[in-house]
């Protein structure tokens, strides 16, 4: 059934009538309808834990903005939360873990593997609800499930919060790499089961977000992040060869330029700091490319159209999915997001 979905077809490199488009963070605070449901839920985590409401906000951008794929509404940090790290979202501050991992003993106290993944029942319930609702719509919209890359998750688990310098995890990287690898290994195992259960519950496509890839020096990126993402992709491909996988490592142009990208996945997500032409030259033969408009261009319709046309031109004879080069920001006017989506669909139309 999923074969008839334009987004799935594009992920698999098949020709489509136009290049499908979606936006990272498309279900979020720039939509008044999202803010209304979040207010009803009380807070962001309650919303993630409520399958009916989470399904509702997942579908909002389809009708309001016109995107070609839905992304499950959840957060990457539900994984460390269910491993026992007690996640909080503090207004105006962001995510916070009160007892970050400092030692092997701290890691040993956490719940691992399938046991942790089994606790995320609210995510699987949301996916099952969405599967039914999407099938009823009969518009062949695909559902993207997702997870954080082990490295990006580990940065929060070690620092306890977002960070500009990554000094605590980098101290561990250079002075106690064994502990960092043990953390990355544990998280990788949970994520494998988690994504397997997401697929079993009904998602069509997997995206792995390595949002903080750029924090690692290029020569060490494979060792501390990419190889773990590839391990997750290998595991999923061995069991579900027909489910497309998108890898999104943000901010690693040197790794791309040096030809170091490898692995069994379908789509490479290009961030906005990497020229699409470079990604195409280095990766376009092997992978479908997704991306990559600078999200702040959404503040101007002219700047949006200019960029969409330029990307469409670069990717005219290539395999492509339109997206932003990172998430949409909360103060973007909804009409500009609609404009972006329409322009992507127009500029890539094949006759
Ligand atoms: O893309 C989507 O629409 C699906 C939902 C989604 C959310 N988070 C909802 C969310 C997805 C895919 C994520 C992934 C995520 N979460 C990432 C990787 C993607 C990226 O943007 O790089 C990261 C690093 C996180 C961690 C996270 N979650 C942070 C740092 C924050 C706070 C920062 C902020 O924007 O406020 C969140 C909260 C969060 N996750 C919100 C949403 C809609 C905002 C919460 C709110 O409604 O107040």
């Amino acid at each position: 059934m999923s074969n008839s979905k334009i987004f799935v077809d594009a992920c698999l490199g098949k020709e489509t009538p136009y290049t499908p488009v979606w936006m990272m963070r498309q279900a979020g605070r720039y939509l008044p309808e999202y803010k209304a449901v979040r207010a009803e839920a009380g807070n962001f985590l309650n919303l993630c834990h409520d399958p009916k409401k989470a399904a509702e906000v997942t579908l909002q951008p389809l009708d309001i903005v016109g995107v070609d794929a839905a992304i499950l509404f959840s957060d990457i940090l539900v994984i460390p939360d269910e491993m026992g790290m007690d996640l909080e979202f503090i207004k105006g501050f962001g995510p916070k873990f009160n007892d970050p991992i400092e030692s092997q003993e701290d890691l040993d106290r956490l719940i691992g593997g399938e046991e942790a993944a089994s606790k995320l029942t609210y995510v699987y319930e949301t996916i099952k609800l969405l599967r039914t609702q999407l099938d009823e719509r009969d518009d062949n919209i695909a559902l993207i499930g997702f997870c954080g890359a082990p490295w990006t998750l580990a940065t929060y688990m070690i620092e306890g919060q977002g960070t500009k310098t990554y000094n605590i995890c980098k101290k561990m990287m250079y002075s106690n790499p064994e502990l960092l690898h043990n953390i990355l290994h544990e998280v990788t195992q949970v994520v494998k089961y988690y994504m397997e259960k997401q697929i079993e519950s009904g998602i069509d496509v997997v995206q792995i977000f390595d949002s903080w890839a750029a924090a690692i020096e290029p020569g060490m990126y494979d060792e501390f992040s990419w190889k773990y993402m590839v391990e997750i992709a290998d595991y999923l491909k061995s069991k579900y060869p027909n489910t497309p996988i998108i890898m999104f490592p943000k901010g690693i142009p040197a790794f791309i330029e040096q030809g170091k990208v490898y692995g069994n996945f379908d789509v490479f997500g290009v961030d906005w700091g990497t020229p699409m032409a470079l990604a195409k030259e280095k990766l376009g033969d092997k992978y479908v490319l997704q991306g990559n408009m600078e999200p702040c261009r959404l503040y101007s319709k002219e700047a949006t159209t200019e960029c969409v046309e330029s990307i469409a031109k670069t990717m005219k004879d290539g395999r492509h999915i339109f997206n932003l080069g990172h998430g949409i920001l909360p103060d973007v006017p909804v009409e500009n997001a609609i404009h972006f989506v329409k322009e992507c669909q127009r500029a890539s139309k094949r006759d």
Side-chain angles (χ1 to χ4, degrees), residues 294-325:
E294 212 292 29
C296 291
R297 279 189 181 257
L298 286 174
Y299 293 120
S300 153
K301 287 187 187 166
E302 292 71 32
T304 293
T305 295
E306 182 192 44
C307 182
V308 166
E309 285 184 343
S310 156
I311 295 172
K313 198 167 155 207
T314 304
M315 294 310 296
K316 199 169 171 47
D317 55 350
R319 300 171 302 159
H320 182 221
I321 292 160
F322 266 114
N323 203 318
L324 305 173

PDB file of all heavy atoms in Angstrom, residues 294-325:
ATOM      1  N   GLU A 294      17.591  27.484   3.971  1.00  0.00           N
ATOM      2  CA  GLU A 294      17.868  28.157   5.246  1.00  0.00           C
ATOM      3  C   GLU A 294      16.498  28.510   5.857  1.00  0.00           C
ATOM      4  O   GLU A 294      15.704  29.213   5.223  1.00  0.00           O
ATOM      5  CB  GLU A 294      18.638  29.438   4.912  1.00  0.00           C
ATOM      6  CG  GLU A 294      19.649  29.923   5.890  1.00  0.00           C
ATOM      7  CD  GLU A 294      19.167  30.439   7.234  1.00  0.00           C
ATOM      8  OE1 GLU A 294      18.118  30.007   7.757  1.00  0.00           O
ATOM      9  OE2 GLU A 294      19.896  31.265   7.764  1.00  0.00           O
ATOM     10  N   PRO A 295      16.164  28.006   7.046  1.00  0.00           N
ATOM     11  CA  PRO A 295      14.823  28.225   7.596  1.00  0.00           C
ATOM     12  C   PRO A 295      14.458  29.696   7.746  1.00  0.00           C
ATOM     13  O   PRO A 295      13.284  30.056   7.649  1.00  0.00           O
ATOM     14  CB  PRO A 295      14.873  27.544   8.965  1.00  0.00           C
ATOM     15  CG  PRO A 295      16.068  26.671   8.957  1.00  0.00           C
ATOM     16  CD  PRO A 295      16.994  27.144   7.900  1.00  0.00           C
ATOM     17  N   CYS A 296      15.430  30.571   7.957  1.00  0.00           N
ATOM     18  CA  CYS A 296      15.119  32.001   8.146  1.00  0.00           C
ATOM     19  C   CYS A 296      14.695  32.678   6.851  1.00  0.00           C
ATOM     20  O   CYS A 296      14.154  33.784   6.873  1.00  0.00           O
ATOM     21  CB  CYS A 296      16.303  32.719   8.784  1.00  0.00           C
ATOM     22  SG  CYS A 296      16.532  32.193  10.496  1.00  0.00           S
ATOM     23  N   ARG A 297      14.926  32.054   5.709  1.00  0.00           N
ATOM     24  CA  ARG A 297      14.383  32.592   4.453  1.00  0.00           C
ATOM     25  C   ARG A 297      12.848  32.633   4.499  1.00  0.00           C
ATOM     26  O   ARG A 297      12.229  33.382   3.759  1.00  0.00           O
ATOM     27  CB  ARG A 297      14.846  31.763   3.265  1.00  0.00           C
ATOM     28  CG  ARG A 297      16.249  32.116   2.796  1.00  0.00           C
ATOM     29  CD  ARG A 297      16.576  31.427   1.476  1.00  0.00           C
ATOM     30  NE  ARG A 297      17.917  31.750   1.054  1.00  0.00           N
ATOM     31  CZ  ARG A 297      18.213  32.636   0.082  1.00  0.00           C
ATOM     32  NH1 ARG A 297      17.258  33.241  -0.583  1.00  0.00           N
ATOM     33  NH2 ARG A 297      19.474  32.894  -0.221  1.00  0.00           N
ATOM     34  N   LEU A 298      12.264  31.826   5.374  1.00  0.00           N
ATOM     35  CA  LEU A 298      10.804  31.814   5.488  1.00  0.00           C
ATOM     36  C   LEU A 298      10.244  33.155   5.959  1.00  0.00           C
ATOM     37  O   LEU A 298       9.046  33.401   5.840  1.00  0.00           O
ATOM     38  CB  LEU A 298      10.344  30.712   6.466  1.00  0.00           C
ATOM     39  CG  LEU A 298      10.422  29.272   5.957  1.00  0.00           C
ATOM     40  CD1 LEU A 298      10.082  28.308   7.081  1.00  0.00           C
ATOM     41  CD2 LEU A 298       9.475  29.051   4.783  1.00  0.00           C
ATOM     42  N   TYR A 299      11.093  34.027   6.489  1.00  0.00           N
ATOM     43  CA  TYR A 299      10.594  35.350   6.884  1.00  0.00           C
ATOM     44  C   TYR A 299      10.256  36.206   5.667  1.00  0.00           C
ATOM     45  O   TYR A 299       9.560  37.210   5.794  1.00  0.00           O
ATOM     46  CB  TYR A 299      11.623  36.070   7.764  1.00  0.00           C
ATOM     47  CG  TYR A 299      11.827  35.398   9.112  1.00  0.00           C
ATOM     48  CD1 TYR A 299      13.082  34.921   9.496  1.00  0.00           C
ATOM     49  CD2 TYR A 299      10.765  35.233   9.995  1.00  0.00           C
ATOM     50  CE1 TYR A 299      13.274  34.302  10.726  1.00  0.00           C
ATOM     51  CE2 TYR A 299      10.950  34.609  11.226  1.00  0.00           C
ATOM     52  CZ  TYR A 299      12.201  34.151  11.582  1.00  0.00           C
ATOM     53  OH  TYR A 299      12.378  33.529  12.797  1.00  0.00           O
ATOM     54  N   SER A 300      10.780  35.858   4.485  1.00  0.00           N
ATOM     55  CA  SER A 300      10.520  36.635   3.271  1.00  0.00           C
ATOM     56  C   SER A 300      10.062  35.717   2.147  1.00  0.00           C
ATOM     57  O   SER A 300      10.740  34.733   1.825  1.00  0.00           O
ATOM     58  CB  SER A 300      11.812  37.362   2.857  1.00  0.00           C
ATOM     59  OG  SER A 300      11.833  37.592   1.469  1.00  0.00           O
ATOM     60  N   LYS A 301       8.924  36.047   1.537  1.00  0.00           N
ATOM     61  CA  LYS A 301       8.429  35.213   0.433  1.00  0.00           C
ATOM     62  C   LYS A 301       9.383  35.283  -0.756  1.00  0.00           C
ATOM     63  O   LYS A 301       9.604  34.281  -1.442  1.00  0.00           O
ATOM     64  CB  LYS A 301       7.030  35.660   0.023  1.00  0.00           C
ATOM     65  CG  LYS A 301       5.969  35.280   1.039  1.00  0.00           C
ATOM     66  CD  LYS A 301       4.576  35.586   0.517  1.00  0.00           C
ATOM     67  CE  LYS A 301       3.560  35.344   1.620  1.00  0.00           C
ATOM     68  NZ  LYS A 301       2.258  35.905   1.352  1.00  0.00           N
ATOM     69  N   GLU A 302       9.955  36.465  -1.012  1.00  0.00           N
ATOM     70  CA  GLU A 302      10.873  36.608  -2.147  1.00  0.00           C
ATOM     71  C   GLU A 302      12.128  35.751  -1.920  1.00  0.00           C
ATOM     72  O   GLU A 302      12.578  35.037  -2.815  1.00  0.00           O
ATOM     73  CB  GLU A 302      11.293  38.079  -2.348  1.00  0.00           C
ATOM     74  CG  GLU A 302      10.175  39.000  -2.800  1.00  0.00           C
ATOM     75  CD  GLU A 302       9.134  39.286  -1.700  1.00  0.00           C
ATOM     76  OE1 GLU A 302       9.501  39.311  -0.508  1.00  0.00           O
ATOM     77  OE2 GLU A 302       7.948  39.446  -2.042  1.00  0.00           O
ATOM     78  N   ALA A 303      12.673  35.845  -0.728  1.00  0.00           N
ATOM     79  CA  ALA A 303      13.890  35.069  -0.420  1.00  0.00           C
ATOM     80  C   ALA A 303      13.588  33.572  -0.493  1.00  0.00           C
ATOM     81  O   ALA A 303      14.446  32.762  -0.869  1.00  0.00           O
ATOM     82  CB  ALA A 303      14.407  35.443   0.962  1.00  0.00           C
ATOM     83  N   THR A 304      12.356  33.189  -0.158  1.00  0.00           N
ATOM     84  CA  THR A 304      11.952  31.787  -0.220  1.00  0.00           C
ATOM     85  C   THR A 304      11.897  31.319  -1.673  1.00  0.00           C
ATOM     86  O   THR A 304      12.504  30.298  -2.035  1.00  0.00           O
ATOM     87  CB  THR A 304      10.567  31.609   0.456  1.00  0.00           C
ATOM     88  OG1 THR A 304      10.716  31.876   1.843  1.00  0.00           O
ATOM     89  CG2 THR A 304      10.018  30.210   0.250  1.00  0.00           C
ATOM     90  N   THR A 305      11.183  32.086  -2.507  1.00  0.00           N
ATOM     91  CA  THR A 305      11.050  31.686  -3.917  1.00  0.00           C
ATOM     92  C   THR A 305      12.409  31.582  -4.597  1.00  0.00           C
ATOM     93  O   THR A 305      12.692  30.607  -5.304  1.00  0.00           O
ATOM     94  CB  THR A 305      10.159  32.702  -4.669  1.00  0.00           C
ATOM     95  OG1 THR A 305       8.853  32.624  -4.108  1.00  0.00           O
ATOM     96  CG2 THR A 305      10.099  32.390  -6.160  1.00  0.00           C
ATOM     97  N   GLU A 306      13.274  32.558  -4.310  1.00  0.00           N
ATOM     98  CA  GLU A 306      14.608  32.560  -4.929  1.00  0.00           C
ATOM     99  C   GLU A 306      15.357  31.264  -4.595  1.00  0.00           C
ATOM    100  O   GLU A 306      15.935  30.607  -5.461  1.00  0.00           O
ATOM    101  CB  GLU A 306      15.374  33.780  -4.413  1.00  0.00           C
ATOM    102  CG  GLU A 306      16.753  33.917  -5.021  1.00  0.00           C
ATOM    103  CD  GLU A 306      17.581  34.959  -4.274  1.00  0.00           C
ATOM    104  OE1 GLU A 306      17.559  34.960  -3.024  1.00  0.00           O
ATOM    105  OE2 GLU A 306      18.228  35.760  -4.933  1.00  0.00           O
ATOM    106  N   CYS A 307      15.298  30.877  -3.346  1.00  0.00           N
ATOM    107  CA  CYS A 307      16.037  29.690  -2.905  1.00  0.00           C
ATOM    108  C   CYS A 307      15.405  28.408  -3.445  1.00  0.00           C
ATOM    109  O   CYS A 307      16.111  27.492  -3.883  1.00  0.00           O
ATOM    110  CB  CYS A 307      16.089  29.668  -1.381  1.00  0.00           C
ATOM    111  SG  CYS A 307      17.021  28.300  -0.724  1.00  0.00           S
ATOM    112  N   VAL A 308      14.071  28.343  -3.421  1.00  0.00           N
ATOM    113  CA  VAL A 308      13.385  27.145  -3.913  1.00  0.00           C
ATOM    114  C   VAL A 308      13.729  26.923  -5.392  1.00  0.00           C
ATOM    115  O   VAL A 308      14.029  25.792  -5.818  1.00  0.00           O
ATOM    116  CB  VAL A 308      11.855  27.271  -3.716  1.00  0.00           C
ATOM    117  CG1 VAL A 308      11.109  26.213  -4.517  1.00  0.00           C
ATOM    118  CG2 VAL A 308      11.499  27.163  -2.239  1.00  0.00           C
ATOM    119  N   GLU A 309      13.728  28.014  -6.161  1.00  0.00           N
ATOM    120  CA  GLU A 309      14.043  27.863  -7.592  1.00  0.00           C
ATOM    121  C   GLU A 309      15.480  27.427  -7.803  1.00  0.00           C
ATOM    122  O   GLU A 309      15.774  26.600  -8.671  1.00  0.00           O
ATOM    123  CB  GLU A 309      13.728  29.169  -8.335  1.00  0.00           C
ATOM    124  CG  GLU A 309      12.223  29.295  -8.488  1.00  0.00           C
ATOM    125  CD  GLU A 309      11.760  30.486  -9.294  1.00  0.00           C
ATOM    126  OE1 GLU A 309      12.560  31.420  -9.495  1.00  0.00           O
ATOM    127  OE2 GLU A 309      10.581  30.467  -9.704  1.00  0.00           O
ATOM    128  N   SER A 310      16.354  27.948  -6.994  1.00  0.00           N
ATOM    129  CA  SER A 310      17.766  27.569  -7.124  1.00  0.00           C
ATOM    130  C   SER A 310      17.974  26.082  -6.774  1.00  0.00           C
ATOM    131  O   SER A 310      18.678  25.358  -7.480  1.00  0.00           O
ATOM    132  CB  SER A 310      18.586  28.506  -6.235  1.00  0.00           C
ATOM    133  OG  SER A 310      19.776  27.903  -5.884  1.00  0.00           O
ATOM    134  N   ILE A 311      17.333  25.635  -5.703  1.00  0.00           N
ATOM    135  CA  ILE A 311      17.462  24.213  -5.330  1.00  0.00           C
ATOM    136  C   ILE A 311      16.830  23.333  -6.414  1.00  0.00           C
ATOM    137  O   ILE A 311      17.396  22.303  -6.812  1.00  0.00           O
ATOM    138  CB  ILE A 311      16.806  23.934  -3.948  1.00  0.00           C
ATOM    139  CG1 ILE A 311      17.540  24.677  -2.842  1.00  0.00           C
ATOM    140  CG2 ILE A 311      16.795  22.429  -3.645  1.00  0.00           C
ATOM    141  CD1 ILE A 311      16.850  24.617  -1.469  1.00  0.00           C
ATOM    142  N   ALA A 312      15.646  23.748  -6.906  1.00  0.00           N
ATOM    143  CA  ALA A 312      14.961  22.955  -7.943  1.00  0.00           C
ATOM    144  C   ALA A 312      15.857  22.823  -9.184  1.00  0.00           C
ATOM    145  O   ALA A 312      15.929  21.757  -9.802  1.00  0.00           O
ATOM    146  CB  ALA A 312      13.627  23.598  -8.311  1.00  0.00           C
ATOM    147  N   LYS A 313      16.559  23.896  -9.499  1.00  0.00           N
ATOM    148  CA  LYS A 313      17.452  23.883 -10.672  1.00  0.00           C
ATOM    149  C   LYS A 313      18.620  22.908 -10.435  1.00  0.00           C
ATOM    150  O   LYS A 313      18.931  22.073 -11.283  1.00  0.00           O
ATOM    151  CB  LYS A 313      17.972  25.308 -10.899  1.00  0.00           C
ATOM    152  CG  LYS A 313      18.529  25.530 -12.277  1.00  0.00           C
ATOM    153  CD  LYS A 313      18.732  27.023 -12.532  1.00  0.00           C
ATOM    154  CE  LYS A 313      19.812  27.186 -13.591  1.00  0.00           C
ATOM    155  NZ  LYS A 313      20.503  28.473 -13.461  1.00  0.00           N
ATOM    156  N   THR A 314      19.221  23.024  -9.277  1.00  0.00           N
ATOM    157  CA  THR A 314      20.354  22.136  -8.956  1.00  0.00           C
ATOM    158  C   THR A 314      19.917  20.668  -9.002  1.00  0.00           C
ATOM    159  O   THR A 314      20.654  19.807  -9.473  1.00  0.00           O
ATOM    160  CB  THR A 314      20.900  22.452  -7.538  1.00  0.00           C
ATOM    161  OG1 THR A 314      21.234  23.828  -7.490  1.00  0.00           O
ATOM    162  CG2 THR A 314      22.108  21.606  -7.196  1.00  0.00           C
ATOM    163  N   MET A 315      18.706  20.388  -8.516  1.00  0.00           N
ATOM    164  CA  MET A 315      18.264  18.994  -8.367  1.00  0.00           C
ATOM    165  C   MET A 315      17.391  18.507  -9.533  1.00  0.00           C
ATOM    166  O   MET A 315      16.816  17.421  -9.456  1.00  0.00           O
ATOM    167  CB  MET A 315      17.501  18.830  -7.046  1.00  0.00           C
ATOM    168  CG  MET A 315      18.347  19.017  -5.800  1.00  0.00           C
ATOM    169  SD  MET A 315      19.889  18.061  -5.811  1.00  0.00           S
ATOM    170  CE  MET A 315      19.250  16.395  -5.825  1.00  0.00           C
ATOM    171  N   LYS A 316      17.312  19.303 -10.595  1.00  0.00           N
ATOM    172  CA  LYS A 316      16.412  18.982 -11.719  1.00  0.00           C
ATOM    173  C   LYS A 316      16.598  17.555 -12.245  1.00  0.00           C
ATOM    174  O   LYS A 316      15.630  16.834 -12.452  1.00  0.00           O
ATOM    175  CB  LYS A 316      16.638  19.987 -12.856  1.00  0.00           C
ATOM    176  CG  LYS A 316      15.493  20.044 -13.837  1.00  0.00           C
ATOM    177  CD  LYS A 316      15.626  21.230 -14.775  1.00  0.00           C
ATOM    178  CE  LYS A 316      14.620  21.186 -15.904  1.00  0.00           C
ATOM    179  NZ  LYS A 316      13.244  20.894 -15.500  1.00  0.00           N
ATOM    180  N   ASP A 317      17.842  17.160 -12.423  1.00  0.00           N
ATOM    181  CA  ASP A 317      18.091  15.809 -12.928  1.00  0.00           C
ATOM    182  C   ASP A 317      18.536  14.873 -11.796  1.00  0.00           C
ATOM    183  O   ASP A 317      19.175  13.856 -12.042  1.00  0.00           O
ATOM    184  CB  ASP A 317      19.150  15.858 -14.036  1.00  0.00           C
ATOM    185  CG  ASP A 317      20.422  16.534 -13.538  1.00  0.00           C
ATOM    186  OD1 ASP A 317      20.396  17.121 -12.430  1.00  0.00           O
ATOM    187  OD2 ASP A 317      21.443  16.470 -14.241  1.00  0.00           O
ATOM    188  N   GLY A 318      18.186  15.225 -10.574  1.00  0.00           N
ATOM    189  CA  GLY A 318      18.597  14.390  -9.440  1.00  0.00           C
ATOM    190  C   GLY A 318      17.405  13.883  -8.659  1.00  0.00           C
ATOM    191  O   GLY A 318      16.270  14.239  -8.946  1.00  0.00           O
ATOM    192  N   ARG A 319      17.677  13.056  -7.671  1.00  0.00           N
ATOM    193  CA  ARG A 319      16.604  12.497  -6.835  1.00  0.00           C
ATOM    194  C   ARG A 319      16.514  13.331  -5.566  1.00  0.00           C
ATOM    195  O   ARG A 319      17.503  13.463  -4.841  1.00  0.00           O
ATOM    196  CB  ARG A 319      16.911  11.037  -6.534  1.00  0.00           C
ATOM    197  CG  ARG A 319      17.000  10.201  -7.824  1.00  0.00           C
ATOM    198  CD  ARG A 319      17.523   8.819  -7.550  1.00  0.00           C
ATOM    199  NE  ARG A 319      18.829   8.840  -6.916  1.00  0.00           N
ATOM    200  CZ  ARG A 319      19.342   7.837  -6.221  1.00  0.00           C
ATOM    201  NH1 ARG A 319      18.661   6.717  -6.073  1.00  0.00           N
ATOM    202  NH2 ARG A 319      20.539   7.939  -5.673  1.00  0.00           N
ATOM    203  N   HIS A 320      15.324  13.886  -5.293  1.00  0.00           N
ATOM    204  CA  HIS A 320      15.254  14.946  -4.289  1.00  0.00           C
ATOM    205  C   HIS A 320      13.931  14.974  -3.516  1.00  0.00           C
ATOM    206  O   HIS A 320      12.888  14.597  -4.048  1.00  0.00           O
ATOM    207  CB  HIS A 320      15.448  16.292  -5.030  1.00  0.00           C
ATOM    208  CG  HIS A 320      15.450  17.491  -4.153  1.00  0.00           C
ATOM    209  ND1 HIS A 320      14.820  18.660  -4.495  1.00  0.00           N
ATOM    210  CD2 HIS A 320      16.004  17.719  -2.925  1.00  0.00           C
ATOM    211  CE1 HIS A 320      14.993  19.557  -3.529  1.00  0.00           C
ATOM    212  NE2 HIS A 320      15.702  19.013  -2.568  1.00  0.00           N
ATOM    213  N   ILE A 321      14.000  15.422  -2.267  1.00  0.00           N
ATOM    214  CA  ILE A 321      12.827  15.746  -1.442  1.00  0.00           C
ATOM    215  C   ILE A 321      13.062  17.152  -0.906  1.00  0.00           C
ATOM    216  O   ILE A 321      14.152  17.432  -0.386  1.00  0.00           O
ATOM    217  CB  ILE A 321      12.704  14.745  -0.268  1.00  0.00           C
ATOM    218  CG1 ILE A 321      12.342  13.355  -0.797  1.00  0.00           C
ATOM    219  CG2 ILE A 321      11.680  15.214   0.755  1.00  0.00           C
ATOM    220  CD1 ILE A 321      12.652  12.241   0.172  1.00  0.00           C
ATOM    221  N   PHE A 322      12.091  18.038  -1.047  1.00  0.00           N
ATOM    222  CA  PHE A 322      12.252  19.395  -0.511  1.00  0.00           C
ATOM    223  C   PHE A 322      12.049  19.404   0.991  1.00  0.00           C
ATOM    224  O   PHE A 322      11.167  18.730   1.527  1.00  0.00           O
ATOM    225  CB  PHE A 322      11.228  20.350  -1.134  1.00  0.00           C
ATOM    226  CG  PHE A 322      11.731  21.085  -2.337  1.00  0.00           C
ATOM    227  CD1 PHE A 322      11.186  20.853  -3.592  1.00  0.00           C
ATOM    228  CD2 PHE A 322      12.743  22.025  -2.216  1.00  0.00           C
ATOM    229  CE1 PHE A 322      11.633  21.544  -4.712  1.00  0.00           C
ATOM    230  CE2 PHE A 322      13.202  22.726  -3.322  1.00  0.00           C
ATOM    231  CZ  PHE A 322      12.647  22.487  -4.570  1.00  0.00           C
ATOM    232  N   ASN A 323      12.854  20.228   1.674  1.00  0.00           N
ATOM    233  CA  ASN A 323      12.680  20.465   3.105  1.00  0.00           C
ATOM    234  C   ASN A 323      13.459  21.725   3.449  1.00  0.00           C
ATOM    235  O   ASN A 323      14.138  22.294   2.584  1.00  0.00           O
ATOM    236  CB  ASN A 323      13.217  19.269   3.927  1.00  0.00           C
ATOM    237  CG  ASN A 323      12.593  19.168   5.317  1.00  0.00           C
ATOM    238  OD1 ASN A 323      12.404  20.167   6.009  1.00  0.00           O
ATOM    239  ND2 ASN A 323      12.259  17.954   5.719  1.00  0.00           N
ATOM    240  N   LEU A 324      13.371  22.137   4.694  1.00  0.00           N
ATOM    241  CA  LEU A 324      14.248  23.186   5.191  1.00  0.00           C
ATOM    242  C   LEU A 324      15.574  22.528   5.560  1.00  0.00           C
ATOM    243  O   LEU A 324      15.657  21.306   5.704  1.00  0.00           O
ATOM    244  CB  LEU A 324      13.619  23.844   6.420  1.00  0.00           C
ATOM    245  CG  LEU A 324      12.210  24.395   6.209  1.00  0.00           C
ATOM    246  CD1 LEU A 324      11.627  24.857   7.532  1.00  0.00           C
ATOM    247  CD2 LEU A 324      12.238  25.531   5.191  1.00  0.00           C
ATOM    248  N   GLY A 325      16.602  23.365   5.755  1.00  0.00           N
ATOM    249  CA  GLY A 325      17.890  22.812   6.168  1.00  0.00           C
ATOM    250  C   GLY A 325      17.997  22.639   7.673  1.00  0.00           C
ATOM    251  O   GLY A 325      19.028  22.197   8.190  1.00  0.00           O
TER     252      GLY A 325
END
